[in-house]
Amino acid sequence: MSGSAGSSLCRAAHVVDRVLVAPGPAHRLLEVRTLLALVIGLRLATRDWTRIADRPAALTDHGTVMGWLLLAPPAWLLVVVQCAGLLGVALVVARRSGRAGFVLAWCAYTALAALWGGSGKVLHNDVLTVTVGFVLLLAADPPQALPATERSPRWGWPPRAALAALATVYFLTGAQKLRHSGTGWVFSDNMSWVLRQGGSGSPFGDAWVHTVADQPWLTQALAGGALVLELTAPVWLAIRVARIPFVLAVAAMHGSIWAFLGLDYSAWVLTAAAVAVPMALRPGRRLPGRWSPRPGREDGARPAVSAVVEMRRSGVTVGP
């Protein structure tokens, strides 16, 4: 690598670093963390995790973060972990020990998802939520009483890092397609065969799926659109006004996967929305609801003191 190219890369890295650690409002961190906790809570509450205990050991792959657990966990233990995770979500939503609550929820969810995905075919329905949530494990709790105008890198970096993790996972998903299949992933009959083989899982029946699979131009358009969306995810998410359109685009992509194949990637859509929607707002704007820290005394005291000083300077008697 030439010296000029190396210098350009260093400058670009410094720019990215300055952007990621720039000061930000505390309410944005609370919004993103609370929404991600709700996504985790939904996943924990809507799956029967006790089914893990019924799976034969021969179908268990130990290549996950729970691979050290050689024995099948009993159903009661799985329920305990599930309840612990839901308790963590409740702590985050209630803003009581939010960081500790998020760590508890994330650890419980990751353990159960690893055990669930370690049986039979490797599943990645929960990968995005686990990966993006990992970033927020290191985010500190904002004080309960904080001036609304205060900005700090402590609150600014976690939502931006979550946004960067979201962009990276989508980009790598597309890059892996190119790495293993090249442009043939789009321009061959690859997508046609995917639809034909998986169409039986469609909630609307497989007849219409086979009709789509018989249209090469349409299957190539579906494959190409998904690939372009994944590879350009960092660009979409780097531009504030493009973040909500990105969420809508991934909702359409994952929704079509469900319609064609019956595969549930709703956690990916919800995770993208939990991070990108709050980050699409201007720094001073907030999501509706009780997301931000309670205003500190200085928020209300300073204007009152200033008013008293001005009245005294004008010769107005203040006080008894």
Side-chain angles (χ1 to χ4, degrees):
M1 181 183 293
S2 65
S4 59
S7 299
S8 299
L9 288 176
C10 287
R11 286 195 296 271
H14 285 308
V15 169
V16 171
D17 182 67
R18 286 197 301 270
V19 170
L20 286 176
V21 299
H27 65 80
R28 191 67 75 228
L29 166 59
L30 293 177
E31 289 169 353
V32 173
R33 187 171 67 184
T34 303
L35 290 174
L36 277 175
L38 289 173
V39 175
I40 291 175
L42 181 64
R43 299 295 288 179
L44 286 172
T46 57
R47 180 178 289 173
D48 182 8
W49 300 100
T50 60
R51 292 169 59 188
I52 296 172
D54 299 329
R55 296 178 179 178
L59 296 179
T60 301
D61 176 18
H62 297 291
T64 69
V65 295
M66 296 300 294
W68 54 270
L69 187 62
L70 301 180
L71 300 177
W76 67 266
L77 180 59
L78 296 169
V79 173
V80 169
V81 175
Q82 179 187 21
C83 292
L86 292 173
L87 174 61
V89 173
L91 291 174
V92 176
V93 174
R95 288 172 44 206
R96 303 291 182 185
S97 303
R99 180 182 184 180
F102 190 85
V103 171
L104 177 60
W106 184 89
C107 289
Y109 175 56
T110 301
L112 291 175
L115 290 172
W116 184 278
S119 299
K121 182 182 183 299
V122 176
L123 303 175
H124 50 272
N125 308 65
D126 302 296
V127 166
L128 183 67
T129 311
V130 169
T131 304
V132 175
F134 175 78
V135 175
L136 296 184
L137 298 180
L138 306 176
D141 276 328
Q144 287 291 335
L146 189 68
T149 57
E150 182 168 331
R151 302 285 188 271
S152 171
R154 295 180 67 192
W155 329 131
W157 76 261
R160 295 191 186 98
L163 196 68
L166 177 67
T168 301
V169 171
Y170 270 103
F171 174 80
L172 292 179
T173 301
Q176 285 289 2
K177 292 182 175 68
L178 287 180
R179 177 175 176 269
H180 291 290
S181 303
T183 57
W185 198 87
V186 176
F187 297 109
S188 69
D189 58 356
N190 170 66
M191 184 58 68
S192 295
W193 281 108
V194 169
L195 295 178
R196 291 190 180 98
Q197 292 177 350
S200 59
S202 172
F204 306 107
D206 60 355
W208 75 284
V209 179
H210 286 283
T211 300
V212 173
D214 292 336
Q215 311 300 320
W217 66 271
L218 185 52
T219 57
Q220 290 177 10
L222 290 171
L227 184 62
V228 169
L229 177 61
E230 291 167 347
L231 292 176
T232 59
V235 178
W236 289 74
L237 296 174
I239 304 171
R240 181 174 55 79
V241 296
R243 290 167 186 166
I244 291 179
F246 175 79
V247 173
L248 297 176
V250 298
M253 179 180 71
H254 293 305
S256 67
I257 294 174
W258 172 76
F260 284 123
L261 307 177
L263 301 178
D264 178 18
Y265 284 93
S266 58
W268 285 57
V269 178
L270 294 174
T271 300
V275 177
V277 171
M279 294 299 289
L281 303 177
R282 295 183 182 276
R285 294 191 60 186
R286 310 180 186 196
L287 290 177
R290 185 173 172 268
W291 304 94
S292 59
R294 289 190 288 271
R297 290 184 59 185
E298 54 189 304
D299 280 350
R302 285 181 177 174
V305 171
S306 301
V308 170
V309 172
E310 291 299 324
M311 292 173 70
R312 285 177 175 169
R313 286 178 179 174
S314 303
V316 178
T317 301
V318 180

